[in-house]
Amino acid sequence: HHIVLKSLIVRGREPSRSTVGVRTMTVDDVEITDCRFEGWGQNGCGLNLVACERGTIRGCRFDGRDIGLRGLQVQGGSRSIAIENCDFLQISERPLQIGGVTDAASFRSSALGFEAQNISVR
């Protein structure tokens, strides 16, 4: 809980693989600010929040380099997440995905029944 990621540059190395730049699971009170996620691979995503509560993603840049399918994904029973002032570039399918298909073992136990709740995008 109470994790801050600030001014990171996360670059993928193998564009043909399915990779995730950063994945947070069951983290409460997470702040991700002014980070860059670049070239994370064909079937992965730059940032993946699974079963997280009370978070802010602000001023981040997601550049899929025409390979990455998803830029930012919020799923697995995540709730109360604010996404603000982010840039999504060269992402081949879904720059932003709220919800998804999460296996039951990865869900926050108190959130079974929803993938994402109270997510704001500005």
Side-chain angles (χ1 to χ4, degrees):
H1 60 85
H2 293 88
I3 292 177
V4 176
L5 303 176
K6 187 172 182 175
S7 302
L8 296 178
I9 299 174
V10 180
R11 289 191 181 107
R13 299 182 117 191
E14 298 183 49
S16 63
R17 298 189 70 190
S18 176
T19 58
V20 174
V22 172
R23 174 177 285 138
T24 60
M25 291 187 71
T26 63
V27 176
D28 293 344
D29 303 298
V30 60
E31 180 182 330
I32 301 170
T33 306
D34 298 326
C35 294
R36 288 178 26 201
F37 302 90
E38 301 174 350
W40 47 83
Q42 291 177 345
N43 294 315
C45 60
L47 176 61
N48 187 2
L49 276 64
V50 180
C52 296
E53 290 188 6
R54 297 178 308 276
T56 303
I57 301 158
R58 182 179 298 121
C60 293
R61 178 183 172 111
F62 299 85
D63 186 345
R65 297 187 178 168
D66 289 327
I67 297 169
L69 285 178
R70 293 174 298 281
L72 168 59
Q73 188 167 357
V74 181
Q75 64 185 67
S78 292
R79 70 173 102 201
S80 300
I81 306 291
I83 302 161
E84 303 172 342
N85 299 321
C86 293
D87 294 321
F88 298 91
L89 308 166
Q90 301 182 76
I91 298 168
S92 63
E93 193 173 306
R94 290 178 232 134
L96 176 61
Q97 180 172 328
I98 299 172
V101 181
T102 305
D103 62 84
S106 297
F107 257 88
R108 180 176 285 270
S109 61
S110 64
L112 287 175
F114 68 87
E115 280 278 345
Q117 185 179 63
N118 192 27
I119 311 299
S120 64
V121 180
R122 296 184 282 266

